[in-house]
Amino acid sequence: MAHERNLCTLMTIHQPSAEMVAQFDKLILLSQGKLVYMGPADQALQYFEKLGYPSTNPNPANFYIDLMTIDFASSAATKESETRVQSLVDCYAEFNRNGSKLLVNKSSSAGSETAENANSNSSGINIHNSKEAETPSNTNLAPSSSSSSHRGSVYYESYTSPDKDITNETANIVLHEATPRNSWISETRVLLKRNLLLNQRNRSLIYAALFQSIMMTIFTGFVFFQMKTDQSSVQNRVGIMLVILIQITFPVTFPVMTNVMLNRSILMRERSSSSYRMSSYFVAHALSFVPLTVIPLSVMFTGVYFIAHFQYSAAKYFIALSFLLCMVYSSIGISFALAMLTDSLDTAYILTPTIMSILYLFAGNFSNASAVTPVLRWIKYICIYYYTYSGLMQNEFRGLEFECDNSTSNCYKTGEDVLSTYGLDEFPIWLNIIIELALGTGLFVIGYIALRWVAKPRYLWL
């Protein structure tokens, strides 16, 4: 179509076939974002052969890739490949700097006339230098070059290689990401739209989240149906708070972590090409999980709240809902941190429940928060579940009065007695929210640092 309509077509392609390469008129080869070759596609092999790199693959595209790819198999292989790539970059830069360019003869007579003024080489290619006064001629580009007759209508005049030996120089490979080409807001908007669309297409995940929300609303709400103010309701209220905490964390942590890890290969490829900032990716990816987590969990919590008969107070309902949102925030944060710090999904599935189980021991339900041994007591202060559980318990139990009968030896008369017994009145509600948000933010920071340093192409330093 390009030939029929006389169109100029620009194509970016990865590992094309030999037949596809043969269709190209001109070829641009880049390595680490630097120019290695730009010229006629059918002359590229002879160009590299003159530099001392004869083709070792029947497919030119595979040969170019092998020649220009950094080998991370070992430190020695990495250094050797970096030096090779840098030498290719330097040779073409010197070639281009001296004004050398390709000449194409339209007739054999023109070719004969030019051949009289140009020395030939073994590959049939000479390099034409338009700055003859500045650059000495008749010097081969590669040490292996030797003289031979001119061949074909495409030729270069001879070219002088740099006097400095570039083979032992330290390669100046790209160590930092390229300067962003778009604004941070536009990148975040586009990435967020893409992630939301991908989540929308994952119908099974959406249906599973809705099904889980409905089932947990029904079972949790009716197991703790219409709690009263007797002594048995104290145990029920303490238990349902832990159940709600578990229902908030596990349905968020594992799906989010799995999604992040499965998309890490795409992130690596797009980061290698400097498609966007890592900060915009991180924020957009985190925000894309908000509808998928907040909406089903809010529906579940609202149903349980009224079916189980928590305190019917608008202020207490919205305070409890605030703690739910804080817990979702922290759960997404720990999901990103674990997804970026682990190498495989199998490892993440082993470490995540282990870490979560340890943190649940310090949430304040299984053990008295104030009675934990001083050696381990500090863990509760970095436990994201402790502050949410403490806040939910205070929000529900403050202001409650319970009935005591003569058959009960251990009687809680007020909600404050329950909080004091469990050691969950150390921090006020407002401070629990602030600390929870701070811990969640800290987890996001850890996830972002891991994203920058761990989940990155090996040739990038930061």
Side-chain angles (χ1 to χ4, degrees), residues 217-265:
T217 300
I218 295 174
F219 279 91
T220 305
F222 285 98
V223 166
F224 299 95
F225 181 71
Q226 294 294 302
M227 295 181 293
K228 299 179 174 56
T229 57
D230 53 12
Q231 293 300 302
S232 62
S233 69
V234 174
Q235 180 182 358
N236 288 342
R237 292 176 192 274
V238 171
I240 195 174
M241 292 300 175
L242 182 66
V243 171
I244 290 175
L245 190 64
I246 294 174
Q247 290 174 353
I248 296 173
T249 53
F250 278 91
V252 174
T253 304
F254 283 93
V256 172
M257 181 185 64
T258 303
N259 183 287
V260 172
M261 296 200 70
L262 291 178
N263 286 279
R264 203 159 70 174
S265 59

Side-chain angles (χ1 to χ4, degrees), residues 27-274:
L27 189 65
I28 298 176
L29 299 178
L30 300 174
S31 180
Q32 307 298 306
K34 297 183 178 181
L35 190 60
V36 172
Y37 176 81
M38 182 171 66
D42 57 357
Q43 298 296 318
L45 289 177
Q46 299 178 20
Y47 171 80
F48 288 115
E49 184 177 358
K50 183 169 179 62
L51 293 179
Y53 301 104
S55 176
T56 58
N57 196 301
N59 187 346
N62 292 337
F63 166 67
Y64 302 146
I65 292 174
D66 293 339
L67 185 63
M68 299 184 299
T69 300
I70 304 299
D71 185 1
F72 293 103
S74 64
S75 57
T78 301
K79 182 176 179 59
E80 179 184 357
S81 58
E82 286 178 345
T83 305
R84 180 182 67 248
V85 169
Q86 189 61 42
S87 68
L88 293 173
V89 172
D90 291 343
C91 283
Y92 188 81
E94 186 72 16
F95 167 75
N96 197 40
R97 187 182 306 117
N98 289 330
S100 301
K101 57 183 179 180
L102 185 67
L103 298 180
V104 181
N105 288 335
K106 298 298 183 179
S107 63
S108 58
S109 59
S112 302
E113 180 181 352
T114 308
E116 295 176 359
N117 300 322
N119 291 332
S120 60
N121 51 62
S122 59
S123 62
I125 300 178
N126 293 320
I127 296 174
H128 174 75
N129 189 346
S130 62
K131 301 179 181 179
E132 295 177 357
E134 301 177 7
T135 308
S137 59
N138 299 329
T139 305
N140 289 329
L141 187 60
S144 60
S145 298
S146 59
S147 298
S148 68
S149 60
H150 174 72
R151 176 179 26 163
S153 61
V154 180
Y155 70 96
Y156 299 83
E157 264 192 306
S158 58
Y159 162 80
T160 302
S161 62
D163 297 331
K164 183 179 179 181
D165 185 6
I166 61 175
T167 58
N168 295 324
E169 287 185 355
T170 302
N172 184 24
I173 302 301
V174 178
L175 298 179
H176 301 275
E177 291 171 286
T179 303
R181 290 164 288 186
N182 302 300
S183 67
W184 187 89
I185 294 178
S186 62
E187 287 181 354
T188 305
R189 184 176 65 252
V190 172
L191 290 172
L192 178 59
K193 183 178 180 180
R194 182 184 71 172
N195 290 333
L196 289 175
L197 182 60
L198 291 175
N199 290 340
Q200 182 181 353
R201 291 174 177 174
N202 193 352
R203 298 297 178 86
S204 59
L205 181 61
I206 296 176
Y207 293 151
L210 293 176
F211 176 78
Q212 181 187 53
S213 175
I214 295 172
M215 296 303 295
M216 295 309 298
T217 300
I218 295 174
F219 279 91
T220 305
F222 285 98
V223 166
F224 299 95
F225 181 71
Q226 294 294 302
M227 295 181 293
K228 299 179 174 56
T229 57
D230 53 12
Q231 293 300 302
S232 62
S233 69
V234 174
Q235 180 182 358
N236 288 342
R237 292 176 192 274
V238 171
I240 195 174
M241 292 300 175
L242 182 66
V243 171
I244 290 175
L245 190 64
I246 294 174
Q247 290 174 353
I248 296 173
T249 53
F250 278 91
V252 174
T253 304
F254 283 93
V256 172
M257 181 185 64
T258 303
N259 183 287
V260 172
M261 296 200 70
L262 291 178
N263 286 279
R264 203 159 70 174
S265 59
I266 299 176
L267 167 64
M268 296 278 280
R269 183 173 67 248
E270 293 178 341
R271 187 178 184 186
S272 299
S273 59
S274 300

